[in-house]
Every structure is written in C-alpha cells, then in structure tokens.
Amino acid sequence: MLDLAWVADNKLPLGEHIAIFVESLTANAAGFFDLISVGLGASITSLTNGLLWVPPLVLIALIAGLAYFLQRSVKLVAFVVLALLLVVNLGYWQASMETLSLVICATLVCLLVGIPIGIAAAHRPWLEAALRPLLDLMQTIPTFVYLIPTLILFGLGVVPGLISTVIFALPAPIRLTTLGIASVPKTLIEAGESFGATRTQLLWKVELPYALPTIMAGVTQCIMLSLSMVVIAALVGADGLGKPVVRALNTVNIADGFEAGLAIVIVAIVLDRLCKQRPAPGQTPPK
C-alpha cells in the first residue's frame, strides 16, 4: 500500500500565510479599516434610530401601505399588519428594527456591488469564468472561517457582522444578474441595434427590463441570505434578533428561543412578500 505519510509531514503553510497577511493588514492599514468601521457603524446606527423614532403603529401602517402599493393585495396587507403586531406583542420590536437595519444595509451593499459585476460578467465570458470559483468559495466556505479575520480587522460590533453577511450574500445577486442579462434573446439585441441603439441604451432599455424578474429573484435571495446571518452576526456583537437566540441557546431557554426565531421568520416572510414581483395584468401568478 502506498504510504502517504510524507504528504502530511510536508504540510503547505496556507493558514500561516493567511494569518501573516491579516496581521500585516492590521498593522499597516488599521486607520483605513477603522474608517470603514466607523462609517458603516454610523450608517446602521442612524438607520436603526430612524426606524425606532417612528412609533411602531405608524411604521406598521407605512409598511402595510407599501405592501399594498407594491402588490395590490388586501390579504397581504392584513398579514403584514397581524404579523408585525405579533412581533410587538412578543416584545421584539426594537430587536426586529435592528435586524432590519442590518439586512437593509447588507442588501444595499450587495446590490451596489453585485449588479454591476453581474452585468460585466454577462458581457465578458472570461470574467464570468474567473468569478465562478471565487463565488463558489464565498458560498461554501464556513461562515466562522471569514468571521475571524473580519472580527480582527473591524473590531467587535455590528460591522464585522455586516461584512460577513455581505460576503455570504453577495454571490446571489452576481450570479442571478449574470444569468438574467445573458438570457436576453439575441433577436431583441439585434432589434435594438437595428434601430441604432448604443450599448448603454441596449443595457437600460432592453437587457435590464428583460432581466428584471431574474434580478429581483437575486434581490429576494440576497435578503433571505442576509437574514440567515442574523444569529452569526450576534456572535460578534451585532444587535438584533440574533442576540436573544444566542442567549436562549446559552441558557437552554426553549420559550425565548422559539419566540425570537418566530420573529426572524416573520421579518423574513414580510420582506420576501414585499420584494416579490407582482405579475403583469392578464398574467397568471406563479404557483
């Protein structure tokens, strides 16, 4: 039998090199990462304070109005109102707003970065091929692995949770934007070119409108992935619904853990229904 002990005895120092790289960043670029931490932390805190400044009943009414404006569904409005009132009744309104702020900021960062990259990858096959293994790595690597360097670089608090959430959720909008743009029929592109449309006009008037359902699916998936990171973010000091879940886990408190988990589910369902694309008039909604 072939002895592979020499393979284990000659271990590649991959982890050591990564540790040295992170330590060099901490030593040489501490000011840069502190600036990012302060800026992101202030943004999330401001958004949270703004949400908490509005009385809960008023904010519930605004969200219900937004639900009707986006989906034109009275049933959805009734569900949103009852679900959010249940969150208030359980005593997790403030934690829910803190979680909502984290999800909104993470989703915005993912979309601002992911959609342009997805568009570029759809137009450049070599870029899509280069990004594919990186996106696979970002989606499959255990969260705690990159939570450690983000904690070292950005310190304890909501910012390392936000950065880790962005890393975890970013592949979704990139992949689905690439898929949506790449699936535009060539006949539509040729029709636009025959009318003298420039590449920018083709992007905004042909490709993006056609790919919008797929891009919106990426937005919804990004929101769900961000919410799935709530408990992980709480382990590094991020406020929100993850904290009571972690606290209940440490004390084996079934009641508190179930209630906090139910609040997370409610926030996830409400956001999913709000972002769901409404079918066009005469179009049968998907089952």
Side-chain angles (χ1 to χ4, degrees):
M1 182 178 294
L2 183 63
D3 186 10
L4 296 180
W6 63 273
V7 177
D9 294 337
N10 296 276
K11 178 183 176 181
L12 296 174
L14 298 178
E16 297 177 5
H17 288 311
I18 295 297
I20 293 173
F21 176 70
V22 173
E23 290 174 359
S24 65
L25 288 179
T26 305
N28 300 319
F32 173 73
F33 290 108
D34 289 342
L35 182 63
I36 294 178
S37 180
V38 171
L40 292 178
S43 300
I44 297 175
T45 302
S46 300
L47 181 57
T48 303
N49 291 337
L51 292 174
L52 294 175
W53 177 79
V54 182
L57 291 179
V58 175
L59 188 56
I60 290 174
L62 292 175
I63 295 174
L66 179 63
Y68 183 78
F69 175 76
L70 293 175
Q71 304 298 334
R72 294 293 193 271
S73 172
V74 177
K75 292 182 180 180
L76 176 61
V77 171
F79 168 76
V80 168
V81 171
L82 293 176
L84 295 180
L85 286 176
L86 177 59
V87 173
V88 175
N89 177 262
L90 294 175
Y92 289 112
W93 181 256
Q94 179 175 344
S96 297
M97 295 302 100
E98 293 168 345
T99 294
L100 183 60
S101 299
L102 177 62
V103 171
I104 290 174
C105 291
T107 302
L108 287 177
V109 172
C110 288
L111 296 183
L112 290 175
V113 175
I115 291 179
I117 293 178
I119 294 172
H123 291 153
R124 299 168 179 82
W126 63 267
L127 179 60
E128 194 273 337
L131 287 175
R132 192 181 303 120
L134 178 61
L135 297 178
D136 291 339
L137 180 66
M138 293 169 65
Q139 287 186 307
T140 56
I141 192 170
T143 308
F144 291 99
V145 173
Y146 51 78
L147 199 62
I148 299 172
T150 54
L151 180 61
I152 295 174
L153 295 174
F154 297 100
L156 193 66
V158 68
V159 176
L162 174 65
I163 299 298
S164 300
T165 301
V166 169
I167 294 174
F168 182 69
L170 184 60
I174 293 178
R175 288 185 185 277
L176 288 173
T177 300
T178 303
L179 176 63
I181 297 296
S183 63
V184 177
K186 291 184 178 180
T187 53
L188 289 180
I189 302 296
E190 292 172 354
E193 291 175 344
S194 66
F195 282 100
T198 63
R199 295 189 62 178
T200 303
Q201 290 173 332
L202 286 174
L203 174 63
W204 287 100
K205 296 184 178 182
V206 177
E207 294 178 332
L208 287 178
Y210 185 90
L212 185 60
T214 306
I215 295 175
M216 288 304 299
V219 173
T220 304
Q221 189 173 358
C222 182
I223 292 173
M224 296 301 105
L225 291 173
S226 299
L227 273 169
S228 69
M229 290 289 293
V230 167
V231 178
I232 303 298
L235 297 176
V236 292
D239 294 324
L241 291 169
K243 275 193 172 182
V245 173
V246 174
R247 193 181 306 117
L249 179 63
N250 292 334
T251 59
V252 198
N253 191 321
I254 299 176
D256 289 349
F258 177 80
E259 291 177 352
L262 180 61
I264 295 175
V265 171
I266 289 173
V267 173
I269 294 176
V270 169
L271 290 176
D272 177 70
R273 296 299 183 268
L274 289 177
C275 296
K276 185 178 181 181
Q277 188 176 21
R278 184 160 56 99
Q283 180 181 358
T284 303
K287 297 181 180 180

